Amino acid sequence: MISSQIEQALNRQIDLEGFSSMYYLSMASWCQVQGFNGVSAFLYHHSDEERMHMLKLFHYINDRGGHGIVPAFAAPQKDFSDIHEIFNIVLSHEIKVSNEINALVAMCIEEKDYTTHNFLQWYVAEQIEEETLARNIIDKLKLIGEDKGGLYLFDRDLQTMGVAGHGRGKGGRKKH
Ligand code: OFO
């Protein structure tokens, strides 16, 4: 059984993971409209992953005697200036998510809720991967700058990464 404090904190995390999913969906849609089909495919996939992160929380809360609540999501930003802006936002958003996960972990230690602490370790590891991935992509984009040929190849690369589950590990690690 989880305490009501932990239940509320996990429900706030549901809100954040769900919002992340909507945010990346909005970015994916913008990229598709702009003709960046590879980046778009990558972000649609990323959006699906965030929904899975949210669902895991629903199941955990309910299995532990709490109640996972569907929040009202704020509408995410719908227009972006370019691909550079998109990935800078992805990184800063993921850093924010990492901070929230860390705060949750700290709360579990304080409350001696080692079961939830253990459950959250999956998210801790996931956040390291997500931040590293965003940083690697930003590094690539810095090299490319505004070069059209470079951006074309970048878009093609991300298409492959989106299909292979972000291209992490050997051929894209199965994460759920
Ligand atoms: Fe990318 O945030 Fe979920 O965990």
Side-chain angles (χ1 to χ4, degrees):
M1 185 88 190
I2 44 175
S3 71
S4 67
Q5 206 202 344
I6 296 279
E7 179 181 355
Q8 279 172 28
L10 291 174
N11 266 308
R12 283 196 296 275
Q13 195 62 29
I14 281 185
D15 193 349
L16 186 55
E17 301 288 349
F19 179 74
S20 304
S21 178
M22 299 300 162
Y23 211 176
Y24 298 145
L25 184 59
S26 181
M27 292 175 188
S29 177
W30 184 86
C31 288
Q32 192 171 24
V33 168
Q34 303 299 317
F36 285 108
N37 291 335
V39 181
S40 171
F42 175 89
L43 289 165
Y44 275 122
H45 181 83
H46 200 154
S47 170
D48 283 347
E49 286 199 344
E50 297 298 350
R51 180 177 149 76
M52 291 307 297
H53 300 173
M54 177 183 72
L55 287 177
K56 273 171 102 83
L57 283 154
F58 271 100
H59 290 299
Y60 180 78
I61 295 170
N62 294 342
D63 287 348
R64 300 282 301 144
H67 185 184
I69 311 286
V70 178
F73 297 114
Q77 179 178 344
K78 66 179 180 0
D79 288 311
F80 302 89
S81 48
D82 55 22
I83 296 288
H84 297 270
E85 185 197 8
I86 287 198
F87 284 99
N88 286 328
I89 294 175
V90 169
L91 178 59
S92 58
H93 186 71
E94 289 302 333
I95 290 171
K96 177 181 167 179
V97 174
S98 300
N99 291 341
E100 294 302 322
I101 296 285
N102 287 340
L104 263 171
V105 169
M107 185 188 284
C108 290
I109 293 170
E110 214 174 281
E111 284 209 14
K112 297 188 170 51
D113 180 346
Y114 300 115
T115 312
T116 305
H117 181 276
N118 186 50
F119 165 75
L120 288 172
Q121 294 314 301
W122 183 89
Y123 289 85
V124 171
E126 177 66 18
Q127 283 313 117
I128 296 170
E129 281 201 18
E130 301 238 355
E131 283 190 35
T132 304
L133 179 67
R135 285 197 178 89
N136 288 343
I137 290 176
I138 288 170
D139 285 347
K140 269 191 199 166
L141 280 170
K142 277 187 190 149
L143 287 174
I144 294 166
E146 297 305 322
D147 179 68
K148 290 221 161 45
L151 283 172
Y152 173 80
L153 292 175
F154 172 81
D155 187 58
R156 227 178 44 181
D157 273 6
L158 256 69
Q159 173 94 48
T160 321
M161 284 168 82
V163 171
H166 283 179
R168 289 181 270 199
K170 290 185 186 107
R173 182 165 72 79
K174 178 100 177 74
K175 293 165 61 241
H176 308 295

